[in-house]
Amino acid sequence: MLICTGFGNNDAKSPLAPISFNRRDVGARDVQIEILFCGVCHSDLHFARNEWGFTEYPCVPGHEIVGKVTQVGAAVKGFKVGDNVGVGCLVDSCQTCASCKEGLEQYCETGMTMTYGSTEKVIGGPTFGGYSNQIVVDQAFVLRIPAGMDLAATAPLLCAGITLYSPLRHWGAGPGKKVGIVGLGGLGHMGVKLSHAMGAHTVLLTTSPSKVADGKRLGADDVILSNNEEMMGKYAASLDLIIDTVAADHKIKPLLNLLKRDATLVQVGAPEKPLSIGVFPLLMKRRRFAGSAIGGLRETQEMLDFCAERKITADIEIIPIQKINEAYERMLKSDVKYRFSIDMASLKA
Ligand code: NAP
Ligand code: ZN
């Protein structure tokens, strides 16, 4: 067994604190990774505080992992010691069902194994995430980080990046399309950059007047203050696609009203409480309300390569792991520009 150190908690009310735990030894198909950086996703906070109601403790969050390979199993092909690699939100799936065969492991019909908070298949107990010094992952769930990418700023692509890339691709964002991105946080700022890079006319919807200039700098053609009814009215029935990244309760009806006939609002934000929708904006223009979860391995690699080619990474603030609880409080106040990336060397401090 591999003894690891990290930051985690033992119940919903406790802050994250130093913790040690076991991971499985490197198996024939496994890659062992020294974690260099881990992004801080709002899901980490929801999960550590059991806001979704299914957290098993101890909990070690973190699913935006970038690191260096330190060991490979005998059957591993394609990775060697010293390679820069990434691990996102999932570390296993059945790999035989129709969804897995299509490269949609996140929709595995028997359930994916999440990077943290699922059941570890070899040694049992919960899987532990990237707020730690090292991780052992099946080679099929390890991503290649293209040469030249800044590692700290690439980590957030492993969740925030793919969670926006996948629905933008699935719903056809590109030239001639008007795409709305709701919320300028970790996910939303990647949505603005990616939608712009795909060639769509990109509209940011934010509740924060202080983020208007940043929205434009990041690639938005227009920025709408979503609390301003007059501004919202001007954009009625004008968008082909909306991706909503908001992490808290908020009104969906005004967003649906921005969609053209037959257009889709994709919910990727996962607030603690059910959202109230109101059916009339759906009925009157045959609009659709949909959801999307992260992305499969093939598409995640495609996203990394797309970002490398266009020199896209996240806008980050690097923090030591000891600042994680403070970072969570700042995230709740939307005071992040636009993703925290933990320098895991701080664990040794
Ligand atoms: P984040 O960095 O905290 O960003 C969320 C943004 O939502 C904020 O920056 C803010 O943007 C907006 N917002 C916050 N409170 C609001 C409120 N009360 N009303 C309206 N807008 C509000 O969070 P994140 O890491 O991007 O994650 C966003 C959500 O996506 C979380 O619920 C997370 O769990 C979920 N998630 C889902 C997936 C998936 O696969 N579907 C993957 C990762 C994360 P403005 O200041 O611009 O308004
Ligand atoms: Zn995430």
Side-chain angles (χ1 to χ4, degrees):
M1 219 99 83
L2 203 63
I3 297 166
C4 297
T5 56
F7 263 57
N9 63 354
N10 283 300
D11 61 79
K13 297 268 176 277
S14 303
L16 302 192
I19 191 170
S20 69
F21 56 91
N22 296 329
R23 297 195 191 269
R24 66 173 185 259
D25 285 321
V26 180
R29 293 172 42 81
D30 286 335
V31 175
Q32 185 177 328
I33 302 160
E34 179 195 354
I35 300 173
L36 299 176
F37 293 98
C38 185
V40 178
C41 180
H42 206 116
S43 301
D44 300 348
L45 185 163
H46 289 308
F47 206 82
R49 298 183 179 180
N50 198 20
E51 290 178 354
W52 294 329
F54 54 83
T55 305
E56 276 180 51
Y57 294 93
C59 164
V60 176
H63 57 203
E64 295 185 334
I65 299 168
V66 165
K68 210 175 254 310
V69 175
T70 51
Q71 202 182 324
V72 293
V76 169
K77 293 201 176 70
F79 296 104
K80 58 178 189 329
V81 172
D83 285 354
N84 289 332
V85 292
V87 178
C89 302
L90 68 169
V91 288
D92 214 344
S93 70
C94 82
Q95 299 188 56
T96 56
C97 73
S99 294
C100 285
K101 281 195 176 139
E102 271 188 66
L104 298 169
E105 298 89 348
Q106 76 275 35
Y107 304 122
C108 174
E109 278 138 50
T110 55
M112 63 168 156
T113 302
M114 295 183 303
T115 303
Y116 58 84
S118 283
T119 301
E120 217 286 345
K121 68 173 178 185
V122 180
I123 60 170
T127 51
F128 297 112
Y131 297 3
S132 78
N133 59 341
Q134 51 187 343
I135 192 165
V136 175
V137 180
D138 185 301
Q139 61 178 343
F141 293 82
V142 178
L143 287 310
R144 289 180 305 281
I145 304 297
M149 290 186 94
D150 179 274
L151 298 184
T154 296
L157 303 186
L158 277 308
C159 173
I162 185 60
T163 300
L164 273 291
Y165 185 91
S166 185
L168 286 167
R169 281 283 188 236
H170 184 77
W171 275 276
K177 292 284 167 70
K178 284 194 175 174
V179 174
I181 303 288
V182 189
L184 196 68
L187 266 57
H189 96 291
M190 288 313 307
V192 169
K193 289 187 186 205
L194 291 168
S195 169
H196 174 73
M198 288 174 190
H201 180 95
T202 303
V203 181
L204 168 67
L205 291 115
T206 178
T207 58
S208 307
S210 63
K211 295 183 184 173
V212 172
D214 273 351
K216 293 204 169 141
R217 174 180 62 80
L218 295 166
D221 297 282
D222 297 318
V223 181
I224 308 176
L225 293 174
S226 50
N227 292 332
N228 181 322
E229 273 181 38
E230 197 189 323
M231 241 177 155
M232 291 287 276
K234 283 191 195 143
Y235 287 82
S238 70
L239 302 180
D240 296 284
L241 172 67
I242 295 177
I243 305 191
D244 181 343
T245 75
V246 175
D249 193 23
H250 61 293
K251 293 197 181 98
I252 298 298
K253 190 176 159 191
L255 300 174
L256 287 171
N257 282 330
L258 301 185
L259 292 172
K260 291 178 182 168
R261 174 176 52 78
D262 288 320
T264 305
L265 168 64
V266 184
Q267 189 62 42
V268 295
E272 189 179 349
K273 300 212 169 65
L275 293 166
S276 143
I277 296 176
V279 295
F280 281 99
L282 292 174
L283 307 189
M284 299 318 286
K285 287 202 185 294
R286 206 164 56 186
R287 295 169 172 126
R288 298 161 202 201
F289 185 63
S292 181
I294 49 174
L297 272 293
R298 195 161 62 213
E299 195 171 45
T300 305
Q301 189 64 58
E302 177 188 307
M303 176 276 307
L304 286 168
D305 296 342
F306 176 93
C307 287
E309 217 168 272
R310 290 162 181 78
K311 305 210 180 312
I312 295 172
T313 52
D315 282 27
I316 52 160
E317 179 177 335
I318 296 180
I319 56 163
I321 186 73
Q322 292 78 7
K323 290 252 162 112
I324 188 66
N325 297 302
E326 204 179 294
Y328 279 5
E329 293 313 311
R330 284 183 54 196
M331 188 152 68
L332 286 172
K333 288 187 257 168
S334 294
D335 173 27
V336 197
K337 291 196 166 166
Y338 280 91
R339 197 59 141 186
F340 292 115
S341 184
I342 307 167
D343 180 354
M344 227 31 91
S346 60
L347 248 189
K348 298 178 197 144

